[in-house]
Amino acid sequence: MSATIIDGKAVAAEVKADVAKKVLELKEKGVVPCLAVILVGNNPASVSYVTGKRKALAEAGMADKSMELPESTTEEELLKLIAELNADDTVHGILVQLPLPKHINEEKVTNAIDPKKDVDGFHPVNVGNLVTGGKGFLPCTPHGVLVLLKKAGIETNGKRAVVIGRSNIVGKPMTLLLSRRECNATVTMCHTGTKDLASITREADIIVVCTGHPHTLTADMIKEGAAVIDVGVNRIPDASKKSGFRLVGDADFDTVKEKASFITPVPGGVGPMTIAMLIYNTLESAERMIGEQN
C-alpha cells in the first residue's frame, strides 16, 4: 500500500481561484480588498515569504499596500505605521512578517494590530474567538490543513487525531480546530515533554506533525492507513542540488508513505495553503467591513 499524495498546490489554486472570483464581485461594488504586509529588515526566508504573498495578492486582483522597512526601524516607528493602517478604511488586512529584529517586541506589535484586520489570526482577541468558537480569523496554516483534510475526503468525525508540536502558530490552534464540533475529532497534543511518543501516534487515525525537525515521525510510529499531514519545512544539505540543500518535512516521507493512507509532500503540501488562506482571510475581512457599513 502506498499513500495518496495530497496535492497542496492544486487545492491552494482552487481556493485562490474562488477568492479571485469573489474579489471581482466586490470590485463591482466599489470595494478592492487590500492587504498590507510589513517586512522589517532583509531576513532571506522572510523576503521569500513576502514575495510569495505579494504574488498571490496580484493574482487574486487584490490591492497591495505592502512595505519594506530597514532593519534599523524602531519599535515606535513600526507601531505608528500600524496605527495608521488600522485607521485606513481602504486596508482590510495587516500582516507583520515575523521574526522581527531583536530590538522590537513581537508581542507588542501583534497586539497593536486591529483584530478586525488581523488576517494572520495571531491577536489575542482572535485567539480567544478560536478557543470559544466565536467569529474571528483562523490562523492560516491550521485552517489550510483543515481544507486539505476536507478536500481529500479524510473523515475527522469521531477519529483520533494527534498533533505533534505546541507552537502558537500551528500546534495549539490545530489542536483546538480539530476538536471543534465541525471536525469532532478526539485530539492529543504531543511535544518535547511527551514520553513514549510512538505509543500515542500509533493510536492515531490522523497525525499532524509540526515540530520543525526532520524525521520526527517515522514509519514505525504510525498505524497502517493513518493520514499524515506534514507541516514542517526543513533545509538539509544536499550536494546534488545547485542550492546545496533540499527541503524536507518533519515526517520521513519515503517510508511513511508506504504505510499511510494519505500524506502531504514537502514542498507542495501544506505550504501553498498558508498563502491561499491568507488571501481568503483578507477577502473575508473586506466582506465583514462591508457588512458593518450597511
Side-chain angles (χ1 to χ4, degrees):
M1 170 181 157
S2 189
T4 298
I5 311 296
I6 302 173
D7 188 345
K9 282 184 181 175
V11 178
E14 282 181 42
V15 173
K16 288 176 179 176
D18 188 48
V19 168
K21 185 181 167 189
K22 287 175 180 169
V23 167
L24 278 175
E25 292 169 8
L26 282 189
K27 282 181 174 177
E28 287 171 10
K29 296 175 185 175
V31 177
V32 183
C34 173
L35 175 65
V37 181
I38 303 170
L39 174 66
V40 184
N42 55 2
N43 176 304
S46 293
V47 170
S48 174
Y49 290 140
V50 168
T51 302
K53 288 165 183 173
R54 298 188 73 174
K55 185 183 173 200
L57 280 177
E59 289 170 353
M62 291 183 169
D64 180 355
K65 213 163 190 173
S66 300
M67 287 160 239
E68 294 179 12
L69 307 177
E71 184 95 15
S72 59
T73 301
T74 66
E75 183 176 281
E76 189 183 359
E77 287 169 335
L78 181 55
L79 292 172
K80 184 172 178 284
L81 174 59
I82 290 169
E84 288 168 2
L85 293 170
N86 282 340
D88 187 341
D89 290 340
T90 66
V91 175
H92 303 100
I94 303 168
L95 184 156
V96 177
Q97 184 65 45
L98 303 179
L100 288 166
K102 287 191 171 67
H103 64 276
I104 299 175
N105 184 314
E106 288 187 359
E107 187 180 357
K108 198 183 281 188
V109 168
T110 300
N111 293 356
I113 297 170
D114 183 340
K116 292 178 181 177
K117 297 187 179 187
D118 166 42
V119 288
D120 247 343
F122 293 165
H123 191 284
V125 168
N126 284 320
V127 174
N129 283 322
L130 171 63
V131 173
T132 61
K135 197 174 182 182
F137 293 111
L138 299 180
C140 300
T141 302
H143 191 189
V145 169
L146 289 193
V147 174
L148 286 179
L149 290 171
K150 191 174 180 181
K151 289 282 185 182
I154 298 167
E155 183 60 69
T156 57
N157 186 28
K159 300 297 182 182
R160 298 191 71 171
V162 169
V163 176
I164 313 173
R166 56 179 164 188
S167 72
N168 291 334
I169 295 172
V170 184
K172 287 177 187 173
M174 191 78 252
T175 302
L176 288 163
L177 285 172
L178 284 167
S179 62
R180 273 183 166 189
R181 286 190 185 276
E182 308 94 89
C183 292
N184 226 23
T186 299
V187 194
T188 303
M189 181 171 69
C190 300
H191 42 72
T192 49
T194 302
K195 292 179 181 176
D196 196 6
L197 176 63
S199 69
I200 299 170
T201 53
R202 284 191 203 109
E203 297 291 316
D205 303 301
I206 300 164
I207 301 171
V208 180
V209 56
C210 46
T211 60
H213 297 286
H215 303 293
T216 295
L217 188 73
T218 52
D220 62 318
M221 295 171 70
I222 73 166
K223 72 176 182 182
E224 200 81 37
V228 175
I229 306 294
D230 191 347
V231 182
V233 181
N234 308 288
R235 293 183 177 194
I236 62 169
D238 187 341
S240 70
K241 301 285 183 184
K242 190 178 177 182
S243 61
F245 66 85
R246 63 189 167 94
L247 296 179
V248 298
D250 293 344
D252 183 13
F253 182 83
D254 291 335
T255 60
V256 171
K257 74 179 171 68
E258 299 305 320
K259 204 171 174 184
S261 56
F262 291 89
I263 191 168
T264 55
V266 177
V270 176
M273 293 302 298
T274 300
I275 291 179
M277 300 323 293
L278 173 66
I279 63 166
Y280 174 92
N281 279 355
T282 304
L283 171 71
E284 193 173 272
S285 177
E287 289 175 336
R288 282 183 194 173
M289 287 188 197
I290 292 171
E292 286 171 8
Q293 287 162 6
N294 291 342

